[in-house]
Amino acid sequence: MIVRIMGEGQVRLDDGHLTELNKLDDELLAEMESGDEEGFRRTLGALLDAVRRLGTPLPDAALEPSELILPSPGATLSEVREMLNDDGLIPG
């Protein structure tokens, strides 16, 4: 799976890591629903760090279609809300 972090680039991520990422995604969604800005910042950072750690960066010149687009680390709560689907940011 190709994942784009807005403003950073793309990484190739094995589908086997989705379970770990979905746990963080569920936590992020709960914090967003409760308006927990501090928790939202912490969990968004943890989610993006996990993608960076588990994925393999693609060269800057590579332009692959992204199957998943994640917000930038500085995204606001309202910006992330606009990106959500029924499953949160990550399908499954």
Side-chain angles (χ1 to χ4, degrees), residues 33-47:
E33 288 173 353
S34 71
D36 180 358
E37 180 79 31
E38 185 178 319
F40 163 77
R41 286 269 145 240
R42 180 183 58 249
T43 305
L44 177 60
L47 176 64

Side-chain angles (χ1 to χ4, degrees), residues 13-32:
L13 188 68
D14 185 273
D15 289 347
H17 296 299
L18 288 178
T19 301
E20 179 180 345
L21 297 178
N22 269 317
K23 289 178 186 174
L24 289 167
D25 189 39
D26 291 344
E27 188 177 328
L28 185 69
L29 189 57
E31 291 160 348
M32 290 178 63

Side-chain angles (χ1 to χ4, degrees), residues 1-18 21 47-59 62-72 83 89-91:
M1 164 185 287
I2 304 297
V3 179
R4 173 175 296 284
I5 298 175
M6 293 175 69
E8 288 188 22
Q10 294 177 302
V11 298
R12 185 175 309 278
L13 188 68
D14 185 273
D15 289 347
H17 296 299
L18 288 178
L21 297 178
L47 176 64
L48 297 177
D49 286 345
V51 169
R52 291 181 198 109
R53 177 176 43 84
L54 299 169
T56 304
L58 295 180
L63 255 144
E64 305 262 344
S66 299
E67 297 168 71
L68 180 61
I69 299 175
L70 297 176
S72 68
M83 297 178 70
L89 290 171
I90 299 172

